[in-house]
Amino acid sequence: LHVETQLGDGVAVPVDGNPAHYLISVMRVKPDDIILLFDGRSGEWAARVRDMRKRDLVLECISQTKAPEEVPDFWLCCAPIKKGRIDLIAEKACELGVAKLQPVLTRRAVVDKLNLDRLHAHLVEAAEQCGRTALPELGAMVKLDALLREWPDDRWLFFADESGGEPLNETLRAHPGAAAFLIGPEGGFDPAEREAIRAVGKAVPVSLGPRILRAETAAIAATAAWMTLNGD
Ligand code: SAM
C-alpha cells in the first residue's frame, strides 16, 4: 500500500482502490485493527484503522516498524523466458535480496515481450512474504547489445556460460564488489553474443557446473551463490 505520510496523519485510502478493497473485503479489517504498510522504499509502518467510511478507509500511521533496508548491490540480468518461469525468477530474486532485475532480449529468446506489471506484482508479493521493505528495481527490457554498450565500468558482469567458464565460487571470491549475473534464454546465447559479452571489460565467464541447467535454475543458483559470499 503506497503510503506517503507522517506519524499520526490520517491517510484516506479510497475504497475502490485495490489495497482498501483487499483490507475490507478479504482481510475484513475493523476500526482499531493494526495493519502493516510498506511502500517498497521507505521501510514498514504499523497503522491503525481509524475510520471506515463509505468511500474510503482512514488509516493512522502509529509507528515505523522497519527502517528502509540496504540490499547488496547485485543485479540479475536474464533473458525473458516462458511466463511461469520468469515469474519464478522474479519471486526468488526478490527473496534472495537482488537489488535489480533486468530483462535482456537475446537472439535465441523464445519470448520477446514481458508483462512488467505482472512481474512487479510477483516482486511485491515476494517482498511481503519474505519481509523485504525495499523492492528490487525492475528494469524495462533491453536488447543485449544495448546492455553491453552501456555496461558500467564499476560492476562485474558474471556471464553464466554453459559452454565453459571459470569455476563459480573461486571466481566470485576473486571479484568482490558491485556485480551482476547474466543468464541466457532456453536456447542459450549464440556464438556472436558470447563473443560480444566476453569483449566487455568487466565480463567474467562463469561455469555453473557440468550440467546444462534450465535458465531459471541457473538464475537462482547463481544469485544464491553470489549472495552467500556477499549478501547481508
Ligand atoms: N543453449 C543451451 C544448451 O542447450 O546447451 C541451454 C541454455 S540454458 C537452458 C539457459 C542459460 O542458463 C544459459 O544460457 C546459461 O546462461 C545458463 N546455464 C545453464 N547451465 C549452465 C552451466 N552449466 N554453466 C553456466 N551457465 C549455465
Side-chain angles (χ1 to χ4, degrees):
L1 179 56
H2 184 92
V3 178
E4 295 280 357
T5 180
Q6 301 302 321
L7 292 183
D9 285 3
V11 179
V13 181
V15 165
D16 52 357
N18 284 342
H21 173 74
Y22 174 74
L23 290 171
I24 294 171
S25 315
V26 177
M27 302 289 282
R28 301 203 175 284
V29 296
K30 297 181 297 309
D32 285 337
D33 279 356
I34 304 293
I35 56 176
L36 289 179
L37 308 174
F38 86 107
D39 66 359
R41 281 196 317 279
S42 51
E44 181 185 87
W45 302 72
R48 179 198 328 279
V49 177
R50 195 160 80 185
D51 200 358
M52 293 177 69
R53 302 180 302 218
K54 195 151 173 33
R55 298 301 313 142
D56 61 27
L57 191 65
V58 181
L59 302 175
E60 176 190 353
C61 288
I62 46 180
S63 66
Q64 181 162 21
T65 47
K66 270 189 190 170
E69 68 190 307
E70 289 301 314
V71 292
D73 193 359
F74 179 82
W75 297 354
L76 179 58
C77 305
C78 55
I81 53 175
K82 292 198 187 90
K83 195 168 161 190
R85 296 176 184 280
I86 190 85
D87 296 350
L88 180 73
I89 289 181
E91 182 181 90
K92 301 314 168 197
C94 184
E95 289 174 52
L96 287 167
V98 159
K100 181 174 184 182
L101 182 60
Q102 176 56 62
V104 182
L105 189 58
T106 65
R107 283 199 202 103
R108 291 183 183 168
V110 292
V111 169
D112 60 2
K113 282 191 213 33
L114 276 180
N115 178 332
L116 291 180
D117 290 343
R118 198 190 71 239
L119 276 186
H120 182 262
H122 279 287
L123 292 175
V124 171
E125 208 174 307
E128 284 175 349
Q129 178 275 324
C130 71
R132 261 186 85 148
T133 58
L135 279 180
E137 185 188 339
L138 177 57
M141 179 117 85
V142 288
K143 285 197 174 155
L144 178 63
D145 54 358
L147 180 90
L148 299 180
R149 213 178 17 252
E150 309 293 323
W151 193 260
D153 52 16
D154 62 352
R155 183 178 299 276
W156 294 112
L157 173 58
F158 297 116
F159 154 44
D161 188 349
E162 70 276 19
S163 69
E166 305 300 318
L168 181 60
N169 286 330
E170 275 157 67
T171 308
L172 296 187
R173 263 195 209 96
H175 300 81
F181 242 105
L182 175 59
I183 308 286
E186 293 90 340
F189 293 104
D190 77 14
E193 288 176 332
R194 268 202 179 86
E195 210 178 303
I197 299 167
R198 285 171 178 252
V200 172
K202 296 292 272 189
V204 185
V206 174
S207 166
L208 297 177
R211 286 173 290 282
I212 298 292
L213 309 176
R214 281 185 181 278
E216 63 272 25
T217 313
I220 295 166
T223 302
W226 191 89
M227 288 295 171
T228 304
L229 286 174
N230 302 281
D232 27 21

